[in-house]
Amino acid sequence: MEDDLLANFYLKQSEPNQSCFLVLRKLIKDMDPEIVECLKYGCPCFLYGKKILCYLWKDKKTDHPYILFSDGVKMNNPVLEFGGRKKMKSFTIDPNKDIDSELIKILLNEAIALKKK
């Protein structure tokens, strides 16, 4: 059932967001075999072990996808933004441009390292 809901999240996105979300999903899942995808609050959530690593969602104003890091407050990369949150930080992706997969891998590695502590 949850697999159907996850698939539905990706399938109901309009282009270019759908392609962007699918690329982000693959990047995240390919980072580590311990990363598991589930659905929380109606959006894809990625767990490392049993702890929340990040979410995928989109900005209400711009409609651009973003990765929301659960331990963002502990991450120091200047590309991350609080966006009015106290603990989580996000990285927004422009779906009309090429995805900087190397930067996303750097961010994911930092987030995973925090979970391993």
Side-chain angles (χ1 to χ4, degrees):
M1 176 70 175
E2 186 172 20
D3 287 341
D4 292 341
L5 293 173
L6 270 168
N8 192 42
F9 171 84
Y10 294 103
L11 294 174
K12 73 178 185 180
Q13 303 301 320
S14 59
E15 288 296 349
N17 281 359
Q18 184 182 70
S19 296
C20 184
F21 276 124
L22 290 170
V23 168
L24 293 173
R25 177 189 203 192
K26 180 164 177 32
L27 278 169
I28 294 167
K29 289 174 76 173
D30 287 352
M31 285 299 296
D32 192 295
E34 289 192 46
I35 295 176
V36 176
E37 184 181 24
C38 64
L39 195 69
K40 289 194 184 288
Y41 312 112
C43 64
C45 175
F46 298 87
L47 307 175
Y48 186 83
K50 294 185 179 184
K51 297 176 182 176
I52 296 171
L53 180 68
C54 62
Y55 296 91
L56 291 180
W57 200 239
K58 59 184 176 179
D59 185 89
K60 290 177 185 174
K61 293 178 185 172
T62 66
D63 203 43
H64 287 180
Y66 63 82
I67 305 171
L68 183 64
F69 292 95
S70 64
D71 286 337
V73 71
K74 299 175 187 173
M75 297 173 71
N76 296 317
N77 196 303
V79 299
L80 297 175
E81 301 174 334
F82 275 113
R85 298 175 187 87
K86 292 182 181 178
K87 294 184 179 182
M88 297 184 182
K89 286 184 183 178
S90 63
F91 176 65
T92 304
I93 295 101
D94 183 340
N96 298 303
K97 296 182 179 176
D98 288 343
I99 293 174
D100 188 344
S101 58
E102 290 308 310
L103 176 57
I104 292 170
K105 288 176 184 177
I106 289 168
L107 295 171
L108 289 167
N109 278 325
E110 185 177 353
I112 290 168
L114 289 169
K115 295 298 178 194
K116 288 182 176 181
K117 284 185 178 180

